[in-house]
Amino acid sequence: MRYRTLDSKLIIETAERLEKRVSERFPDAGLRGVAIELVSLSRDLAKAAKALEAPIWWLRGIVIAAIAAGALTFLFVGTILPLGRISGTHDAIQSVQGIESLINMIILAMLGFLALIRTEERIKRKQVFRKLHGLRSLIHVIDMHQLTKDPAALSTDFKPTSHSPARITDRADLARYLDYCSEMLSITGKIAALFAQSVNDNVVVDGVNDIETLSSNLSRKIWQKITLIDGSLRSARPGT
């Protein structure tokens, strides 16, 4: 079972280890602040995902009380209906009308109980999407930090303008910076997956899949840059 479920503790430890690596290699970079925020967010969301595994007991108490009250109401109505006193046409018509009303009440009550039972599902779903919204924002922040890290700046023919952002001119450092961004995006996908693991809801699973797809697509863009850096590094070596 250990390898069939995600362990939130290991995800947090991975985020903490990544933050230390970023701090050691790029202590003055803004990416360090993003890594710190990722650690904080992973802790908060891991707790939130764990809390969603527990039932909402007060809501279930309301559901049980409503069902009990409905059952008592139907029992009371059933005892006063003149089902056993059908002696004439008039009584028969009243009984049929009473039965029809009772059936309508049962149908409406069942629909009401079903809506009340699914309220817990809707409450948890709303909480999940509120948390995923913050995670999605962090993903875009990570993407903004890698946006200006262009391998073309490593070329000797590259000429920056007066408004060009600060560039990393070392190939190894640039590749490592981009790799850290890719790792952060991967961690965000794993954090999102904790909610799909905690809440058995198709809508939640779809929302988590959207987060994972977004992080995977952005990570793919980063690895295209890393591939270009590796290619330029090999071509720069003598004898290649």
Side-chain angles (χ1 to χ4, degrees):
M1 291 296 294
R2 178 183 177 185
Y3 298 104
R4 296 184 182 182
T5 58
L6 287 171
D7 191 334
S8 59
K9 293 182 180 179
L10 296 180
I11 295 176
I12 295 173
E13 290 177 1
T14 302
E16 291 173 342
R17 192 177 302 113
L18 177 59
E19 186 273 324
K20 292 177 181 178
R21 291 161 56 200
V22 174
S23 299
E24 291 172 355
R25 191 175 293 270
F26 304 104
D28 300 324
L31 190 66
R32 179 185 179 185
V34 180
I36 293 174
E37 182 63 25
L38 179 62
V39 173
S40 176
L41 190 62
S42 63
R43 291 171 180 166
D44 294 341
L45 296 190
K47 291 180 181 178
K50 184 65 176 179
L52 288 173
E53 294 180 0
I56 304 178
W57 292 113
W58 64 265
L59 182 60
R60 295 195 175 188
I62 293 176
V63 173
I64 294 174
I67 293 175
L72 292 174
T73 301
F74 292 143
L75 181 62
F76 175 75
V77 172
T79 57
I80 65 174
L81 281 177
L83 298 179
R85 306 180 209 169
I86 301 177
S87 58
T89 304
H90 184 68
D91 291 337
I93 293 175
Q94 285 185 341
S95 298
V96 171
Q97 291 176 345
I99 293 174
E100 182 180 2
S101 299
L102 181 61
I103 292 175
N104 292 334
M105 288 178 59
I106 292 175
I107 293 174
L108 292 175
M110 290 178 63
L111 294 175
F113 291 150
L114 181 60
L116 192 59
I117 291 172
R118 298 195 64 179
T119 300
E120 180 176 352
E121 181 180 293
R122 291 194 296 270
I123 291 175
K124 289 187 176 182
R125 185 186 300 166
K126 186 176 181 179
Q127 293 176 351
V128 169
F129 279 98
R130 188 181 298 114
K131 300 298 183 181
L132 292 183
H133 178 72
L135 191 60
R136 184 181 291 105
S137 298
L138 182 62
I139 290 174
H140 287 293
V141 171
I142 296 172
D143 183 55
M144 287 296 297
H145 276 76
Q146 68 84 28
L147 195 62
T148 58
K149 303 305 181 288
D150 191 353
L154 301 175
S155 174
T156 55
D157 299 330
F158 179 77
K159 296 181 180 180
T161 66
S162 58
H163 294 89
S164 294
R167 306 281 184 174
I168 299 177
T169 57
D170 183 81
R171 283 183 172 83
D173 284 346
L174 180 57
R176 183 54 57 197
Y177 187 99
L178 292 172
D179 184 52
Y180 288 157
C181 291
S182 179
E183 288 187 41
M184 288 183 188
L185 291 173
S186 179
I187 291 175
T188 59
K190 302 304 176 289
I191 296 173
L194 289 174
F195 289 100
Q197 183 174 274
S198 299
V199 181
N200 186 18
D201 181 77
N202 291 332
V203 178
V204 171
V205 172
D206 290 340
V208 170
N209 288 338
D210 290 341
I211 293 291
E212 292 181 318
T213 299
L214 175 62
S215 62
S216 297
N217 289 340
L218 295 178
S219 181
R220 192 177 299 113
K221 288 168 45 181
I222 293 175
W223 274 101
Q224 289 175 352
K225 292 183 177 182
I226 295 175
T227 301
L228 291 175
I229 296 173
D230 291 341
S232 63
L233 184 62
R234 286 194 296 268
S235 63
R237 291 174 181 171
T240 58

